[in-house]
């Protein structure tokens, strides 16, 4: 029997609607399978493959199994040490610095992808990845990052060095207070430090739903949960509050209340960069001397700005964005849209359609080396988000889908 050419093999396997999704990568297949394999490996890892790996990937592509080729590429250590680290590191700091040191936030994202976990858990799981204790590195400590910096400097591949652990067992945080990377030390240092903890909400939304506050402004939501520190007449003009401040705070403040019991403690005078700070949480029975409740004092700062504003009594939160224009973020109808604490808020965010679309978009940009440009690209983003949701929210699937789509470009 005459052997089919690569294009003939692909064409024979495609009928009807299958053509739309698959031919996007095959249509770009002016490059031969080996060239596509080389590019796919480079896009996913940043390094060239071994000859044997290249041959295996090219055979998979020629046989109409490009997804298998993508997964082969992701077995390379560089996928974890470089690609995933570059993806997650900007999420861990306010400057979005990709060159920041390895930390518990980044390591937990990398470990979750390696183990093919439901990626939603990074926003609510009792989950933390540390280096294997057998590597002889400094132990994990709540008040510094030496453990992860030593791991990065050691040269051990993250693919084999990271170990999944219970966050509560490592840090002492109550299990019900853990929320994946939200309660990691790195995120706490960046977003729970000083202020009113609204930064944690803003950056979590930006990093994991791909929306900054300007993109979700909605002045139609009730302002009843806006706190005392927000002036109702900035500069003496109440119109500024009604037409600007309300747009963000009416939705943000009811959800950021989930962080009422968290603070990042450090010595501002002797350690202004918070190198040795730590996450502090008020457990049941703890009372903050300034508030007389479990609520951290930071939530009551600048109360004189508008004394009649909302005073946070606990960590209960409500999602006012389930109505109005932000309902299109695709909130899960299986969840109540309210709860207590960071864990349940993380579940609310991670189960939105926007979360799936965001992961698809970020990976597309990283692998394809460009932003979505046209209707085909936008449709592919939706398809990748569907695959992500339908495959148990495994981020490797997103990387594989993006690599296949962009093969041969």
């Amino acid at each position: 029997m005459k052997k089919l050419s690569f294009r003939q093999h692909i064409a024979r396997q495609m009928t009807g609607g299958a053509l739309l999704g698959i031919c996007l990568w095959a249509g770009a297949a002016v490059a031969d399978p080996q060239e596509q394999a080389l590019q796919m490996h480079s896009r996913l890892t940043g390094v060239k493959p071994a000859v044997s790996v290249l041959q295996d990937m090219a055979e998979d592509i020629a046989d109409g199994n490009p997804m298998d080729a993508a997964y082969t590429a992701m077995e390379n250590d560089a996928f974890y040490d470089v690609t995933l680290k570059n993806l997650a590191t900007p999420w861990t700091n306010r400057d979005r610095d990709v060159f920041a040191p390895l930390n518990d936030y980044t390591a937990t994202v990398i470990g979750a992808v390696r183990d093919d976990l439901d990626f939603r858990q990074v926003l609510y799981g009792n989950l933390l990845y540390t280096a294997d204790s057998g590597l002889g590195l400094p132990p994990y400590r709540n008040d510094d990052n030496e453990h992860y910096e030593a791991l990065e400097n050691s040269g051990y591949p993250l693919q084999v060095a990271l170990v999944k652990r219970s966050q509560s067992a490592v840090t002492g945080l109550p299990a019900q207070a853990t929320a994946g990377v939200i309660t990691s030390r790195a995120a706490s240092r960046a977003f729970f430090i000083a202020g009113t903890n609204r930064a944690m909400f803003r950056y979590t939304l930006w990093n994991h739903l791909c929306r900054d506050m300007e993109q979700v402004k909605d002045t139609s939501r009730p302002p009843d949960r806006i706190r005392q520190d927000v002036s109702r007449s900035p500069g003496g003009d109440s119109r500024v509050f009604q037409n600007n401040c309300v747009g963000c705070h009416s939705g943000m403040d009811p959800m950021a209340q989930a962080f009422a019991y968290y603070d990042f403690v450090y010595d501002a005078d002797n350690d202004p960069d918070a190198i040795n700070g730590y996450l502090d949480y008020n457990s049941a029975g703890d009372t903050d001397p300034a508030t007389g409740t479990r609520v951290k004092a930071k939530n009551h700062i600048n109360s004189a700005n508008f004394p009649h504003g909302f005073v946070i009594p606990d960590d209960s939160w409500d999602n006012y964005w389930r109505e109005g224009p932000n309902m299109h973020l695709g909130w899960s109808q299986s969840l109540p849209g309210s709860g207590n604490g960071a864990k349940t808020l993380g579940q609310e965010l991670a189960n939105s359609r926007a979360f799936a679309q965001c992961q698809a978009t970020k990976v597309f940009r990283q692998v394809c080396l460009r932003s979505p440009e046209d209707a085909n690209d936008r449709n592919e983003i939706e398809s990748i988000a569907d695959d992500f949701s339908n495959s148990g929210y495994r981020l490797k699937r997103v990387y594989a889908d993006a690599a296949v789509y962009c093969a041969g470009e």
Side-chain angles (χ1 to χ4, degrees), residues 60-102:
D60 282 334
I61 292 172
D63 289 340
N65 300 314
M67 293 291 286
D68 291 347
Y71 274 91
T72 296
M74 287 185 282
E75 294 174 6
N76 190 289
D77 287 337
F79 175 68
Y80 302 92
D81 296 344
V82 180
T83 304
L84 290 180
K85 184 177 183 295
N86 287 346
L87 176 77
T89 299
W91 309 342
T92 70
N93 60 88
R94 297 196 189 205
D95 295 331
R96 304 180 74 79
D97 180 9
V98 72
F99 299 109
L102 183 72

Side-chain angles (χ1 to χ4, degrees), residues 174 261 280-289 291-296:
Y261 302 157
D280 188 61
Y281 175 78
N282 278 348
S283 300
D286 292 338
T287 300
D288 190 291
T291 65
T293 68
R294 286 178 68 182
V295 176
K296 291 287 188 179

Side-chain angles (χ1 to χ4, degrees), residues 32 57 86 122 155 176 181 209 228 266 346 358 380:
D32 65 32
M57 290 177 63
N86 287 346
V122 300
Q176 68 273 16
V181 297
L209 272 70
Q228 294 173 309
Y266 70 108
C358 182
E380 182 63 17

Side-chain angles (χ1 to χ4, degrees), residues 107-152:
T108 298
V109 169
I110 294 171
V113 177
R114 181 200 67 186
D115 293 344
D116 252 354
L117 299 186
D118 181 332
F119 196 68
R120 293 174 296 180
Q121 290 189 46
V122 300
L123 293 188
Y124 60 79
N126 186 0
L127 182 69
L128 187 73
Y129 279 80
T130 66
D132 190 307
S133 59
L135 298 180
L137 303 175
Y140 180 98
R141 288 191 290 263
N142 290 337
D143 59 358
D144 65 45
N145 192 49
E146 290 183 11
H147 175 77
Y148 294 97
E149 292 181 31
L151 172 58
E152 186 169 31

Side-chain angles (χ1 to χ4, degrees), residues 198 201 213 218 221-227 245-260 310 312-322 337-341 344-345 348:
R198 291 184 179 101
F201 179 79
M213 295 308 301
D218 175 14
R221 298 301 90 209
D224 60 310
R225 298 276 282 278
I226 300 180
R227 304 177 204 169
C245 304
V246 166
C248 292
H249 284 281
S250 60
M252 173 172 57
D253 282 16
M255 283 193 272
Q257 189 174 328
F259 308 132
F310 185 72
I312 293 180
D314 52 36
D315 67 348
S316 61
W317 62 268
D318 291 279
N319 184 358
Y320 283 13
W321 288 343
R322 280 181 166 253
S338 61
N340 288 85
T344 57
L345 179 62
E348 176 81 346

Side-chain angles (χ1 to χ4, degrees), residues 164-293:
K164 178 185 175 185
R165 302 178 68 184
S166 162
Q167 186 175 144
S168 57
V170 175
T171 67
L173 193 66
Q176 68 273 16
T178 61
V181 297
I182 293 175
T183 50
S184 65
R185 181 185 183 274
S188 301
R189 178 173 177 250
F191 312 129
F192 278 149
I193 193 169
T196 59
N197 288 350
R198 291 184 179 101
M200 181 62 79
F201 179 79
R202 180 208 171 186
Y203 281 92
T204 302
L205 192 75
W206 191 1
N207 291 330
H208 297 287
L209 272 70
C210 293
R211 266 76 169 183
D212 202 359
M213 295 308 301
E214 286 295 319
Q215 297 167 280
V216 291
K217 287 178 67 173
D218 175 14
T219 57
S220 69
R221 298 301 90 209
D224 60 310
R225 298 276 282 278
I226 300 180
R227 304 177 204 169
Q228 294 173 309
D229 61 327
V230 180
S231 173
R232 269 47 173 189
S233 55
D237 190 345
S238 62
R239 294 173 299 177
V240 176
F241 173 76
Q242 294 291 346
N243 296 310
N244 190 19
C245 304
V246 166
C248 292
H249 284 281
S250 60
M252 173 172 57
D253 282 16
M255 283 193 272
Q257 189 174 328
F259 308 132
Y261 302 157
Y262 299 87
D263 195 8
F264 189 78
V265 178
Y266 70 108
D267 185 343
D269 294 326
N270 300 310
D271 183 21
D273 294 326
I275 301 300
N276 298 115
Y278 61 92
L279 174 64
D280 188 61
Y281 175 78
N282 278 348
S283 300
D286 292 338
T287 300
D288 190 291
T291 65
T293 68

